[in-house]
Coordinates of all heavy atoms in Angstrom, one line a residue:
Chain A
L451 N 145.6 -22.3 -6.8 CA 144.9 -23.6 -6.6 C 145.6 -24.8 -7.4 O 145.3 -25.9 -7.1 CB 143.5 -23.4 -7.0 CG 142.5 -23.0 -5.9 CD1 141.3 -22.5 -6.5 CD2 142.3 -24.2 -4.9
R452 N 146.3 -24.4 -8.4 CA 146.9 -25.5 -9.3 C 148.2 -26.0 -8.7 O 148.8 -26.9 -9.1 CB 147.2 -24.9 -10.7 CG 145.9 -24.5 -11.5 CD 146.3 -24.1 -12.9 NE 145.1 -23.8 -13.7 CZ 144.2 -24.6 -14.2 NH1 144.4 -25.9 -13.9 NH2 143.2 -24.2 -14.8
K453 N 148.8 -25.1 -7.7 CA 150.1 -25.5 -7.1 C 149.9 -26.4 -5.9 O 149.0 -27.3 -5.9 CB 150.8 -24.2 -6.8 CG 151.1 -23.3 -8.0 CD 151.7 -22.0 -7.6 CE 151.7 -21.0 -8.8 NZ 152.1 -19.7 -8.4
E454 N 150.5 -26.0 -4.8 CA 150.3 -26.8 -3.6 C 149.1 -26.5 -2.8 O 148.5 -25.4 -2.9 CB 151.6 -26.5 -2.7 CG 152.8 -27.2 -3.2 CD 152.5 -28.7 -3.6 OE1 152.3 -29.5 -2.8 OE2 152.7 -29.0 -4.8
D455 N 148.6 -27.5 -2.0 CA 147.4 -27.2 -1.1 C 148.0 -26.7 0.2 O 148.8 -27.4 0.8 CB 146.7 -28.5 -0.9 CG 146.1 -29.1 -2.2 OD1 145.6 -28.3 -2.9 OD2 146.3 -30.3 -2.3
S456 N 147.6 -25.6 0.7 CA 148.0 -25.1 1.9 C 146.8 -24.3 2.6 O 147.0 -23.2 2.9 CB 149.2 -24.3 1.7 OG 149.0 -23.2 0.8
P457 N 145.7 -25.1 2.9 CA 144.7 -24.3 3.6 C 145.2 -23.8 5.0 O 146.0 -24.5 5.6 CB 143.6 -25.4 3.8 CG 144.0 -26.5 3.0 CD 145.4 -26.5 2.7
N458 N 144.8 -22.6 5.4 CA 145.2 -22.0 6.7 C 144.0 -22.2 7.6 O 144.0 -21.7 8.8 CB 145.6 -20.6 6.5 CG 144.6 -19.7 5.9 OD1 143.5 -20.3 5.6 ND2 144.8 -18.5 5.6
I459 N 143.0 -23.0 7.3 CA 141.9 -23.1 8.1 C 141.2 -24.5 8.1 O 141.3 -25.1 7.0 CB 140.8 -22.0 7.8 CG1 139.8 -21.8 8.9 CG2 140.1 -22.4 6.5 CD1 139.1 -20.5 8.8
T460 N 140.9 -25.0 9.3 CA 140.3 -26.3 9.3 C 138.9 -26.2 9.9 O 138.7 -25.5 11.0 CB 141.0 -27.3 10.2 OG1 142.3 -27.4 9.6 CG2 140.4 -28.7 10.3
I461 N 137.9 -26.6 9.2 CA 136.5 -26.5 9.7 C 136.1 -28.0 10.4 O 136.3 -28.9 9.8 CB 135.5 -26.3 8.6 CG1 135.8 -24.8 8.1 CG2 134.1 -26.3 9.1 CD1 135.1 -24.4 6.9
R462 N 135.7 -27.8 11.7 CA 135.4 -29.1 12.3 C 133.9 -29.4 12.3 O 133.1 -28.6 13.0 CB 135.9 -29.0 13.8 CG 137.4 -29.0 13.8 CD 137.9 -29.1 15.3 NE 137.6 -27.9 16.0 CZ 138.3 -27.5 17.1 NH1 139.4 -28.2 17.5 NH2 137.9 -26.4 17.7
M463 N 133.5 -30.4 11.5 CA 132.1 -30.6 11.3 C 131.5 -31.4 12.5 O 132.0 -32.4 13.0 CB 132.0 -31.5 10.0 CG 130.7 -32.3 9.9 SD 129.3 -31.1 9.6 CE 128.1 -32.2 9.1
K464 N 130.7 -30.7 13.2 CA 130.1 -31.2 14.5 C 128.7 -31.6 14.5 O 128.2 -32.1 15.5 CB 130.3 -30.1 15.6 CG 131.8 -29.7 15.7 CD 132.4 -30.4 16.9 CE 133.8 -30.0 17.0 NZ 134.4 -30.2 18.4
V465 N 128.0 -31.4 13.4 CA 126.6 -31.7 13.4 C 126.3 -33.2 13.2 O 126.9 -33.8 12.2 CB 125.9 -30.9 12.2 CG1 124.4 -31.1 12.2 CG2 126.1 -29.4 12.3
D466 N 125.5 -33.8 14.0 CA 125.2 -35.2 13.9 C 124.1 -35.5 12.8 O 123.3 -34.6 12.5 CB 124.7 -35.7 15.3 CG 125.7 -35.7 16.3 OD1 126.9 -35.8 16.0 OD2 125.3 -35.4 17.5
N467 N 124.1 -36.7 12.3 CA 123.1 -37.2 11.3 C 122.9 -36.2 10.2 O 121.8 -35.8 9.9 CB 121.8 -37.5 12.0 CG 122.0 -38.5 13.1 OD1 122.7 -39.5 12.9 ND2 121.3 -38.2 14.2
P468 N 124.0 -35.8 9.5 CA 123.7 -34.8 8.4 C 123.0 -35.4 7.3 O 123.2 -36.6 6.9 CB 125.2 -34.5 8.0 CG 126.0 -35.6 8.5 CD 125.4 -36.2 9.7
N469 N 122.2 -34.5 6.6 CA 121.6 -34.9 5.3 C 122.2 -34.0 4.3 O 123.1 -33.3 4.6 CB 120.0 -34.9 5.4 CG 119.6 -33.5 5.8 OD1 120.2 -32.4 5.4 ND2 118.5 -33.4 6.5
E470 N 121.7 -34.1 3.0 CA 122.3 -33.4 1.9 C 122.2 -31.8 2.2 O 123.1 -31.0 1.8 CB 121.7 -33.7 0.6 CG 120.4 -33.1 0.3 CD 119.1 -33.8 0.9 OE1 119.3 -34.7 1.7 OE2 118.0 -33.4 0.6
M471 N 121.2 -31.4 2.9 CA 121.1 -29.9 3.2 C 122.1 -29.5 4.2 O 122.6 -28.4 4.1 CB 119.6 -29.6 3.7 CG 119.0 -28.5 2.9 SD 117.2 -28.4 3.4 CE 117.4 -28.0 5.2
T472 N 122.4 -30.4 5.2 CA 123.4 -30.0 6.2 C 124.8 -29.9 5.4 O 125.5 -28.9 5.7 CB 123.6 -31.2 7.2 OG1 122.3 -31.8 7.4 CG2 124.4 -30.8 8.4
Y473 N 125.0 -30.8 4.4 CA 126.3 -30.7 3.7 C 126.3 -29.4 2.8 O 127.4 -28.7 2.7 CB 126.6 -31.9 2.9 CG 127.0 -33.1 3.7 CD1 126.2 -34.2 3.9 CD2 128.3 -33.0 4.3 CE1 126.7 -35.2 4.7 CE2 128.8 -34.1 5.0 CZ 127.9 -35.2 5.3 OH 128.3 -36.2 6.0
G474 N 125.1 -29.1 2.4 CA 125.0 -27.8 1.5 C 125.4 -26.6 2.4 O 126.1 -25.7 2.0
M475 N 124.9 -26.6 3.6 CA 125.1 -25.5 4.6 C 126.6 -25.6 5.0 O 127.2 -24.4 5.2 CB 124.2 -25.5 5.7 CG 122.7 -25.2 5.3 SD 121.5 -25.0 6.6 CE 121.0 -26.7 6.9
L476 N 127.1 -26.7 5.2 CA 128.6 -26.8 5.5 C 129.4 -26.1 4.4 O 130.4 -25.4 4.7 CB 129.0 -28.3 5.8 CG 130.4 -28.6 5.9 CD1 131.0 -27.9 7.2 CD2 130.7 -30.1 6.1
G477 N 129.0 -26.5 3.2 CA 129.8 -25.9 2.1 C 129.6 -24.4 2.0 O 130.6 -23.7 1.8
F478 N 128.4 -23.9 2.3 CA 128.1 -22.4 2.3 C 129.0 -21.8 3.4 O 129.6 -20.7 3.1 CB 126.6 -22.2 2.5 CG 126.2 -20.9 2.2 CD1 125.8 -20.5 0.8 CD2 126.0 -19.9 3.2 CE1 125.4 -19.3 0.5 CE2 125.5 -18.6 2.9 CZ 125.1 -18.3 1.5
F479 N 129.1 -22.4 4.5 CA 129.8 -21.9 5.6 C 131.4 -21.8 5.3 O 132.0 -20.9 5.5 CB 129.6 -22.7 6.9 CG 130.4 -22.4 8.1 CD1 129.9 -21.2 8.8 CD2 131.5 -23.0 8.5 CE1 130.6 -20.9 10.0 CE2 132.2 -22.7 9.6 CZ 131.8 -21.6 10.3
A480 N 131.8 -23.0 4.7 CA 133.2 -23.1 4.3 C 133.6 -22.0 3.3 O 134.6 -21.4 3.4 CB 133.5 -24.5 3.8
G481 N 132.7 -21.8 2.4 CA 132.9 -20.7 1.3 C 133.1 -19.4 1.9 O 133.8 -18.5 1.4
K482 N 132.3 -19.1 3.0 CA 132.4 -17.8 3.7 C 133.7 -17.7 4.4 O 134.3 -16.5 4.5 CB 131.2 -17.6 4.6 CG 130.0 -17.3 3.9 CD 128.9 -16.9 5.0 CE 127.6 -16.4 4.4 NZ 126.6 -16.0 5.3

Side-chain angles (χ1 to χ4, degrees):
Chain A
L451 272 163
R452 298 189 179 282
K453 301 174 194 169
E454 285 313 295
D455 300 315
S456 51
N458 55 4
I459 198 160
T460 300
I461 296 170
R462 294 187 292 208
M463 166 67 166
K464 301 266 176 158
V465 181
D466 294 330
N467 302 317
N469 57 36
E470 79 280 6
M471 233 171 62
T472 322
Y473 284 112
M475 290 187 276
L476 171 62
F478 195 82
F479 180 78
K482 280 188 175 185

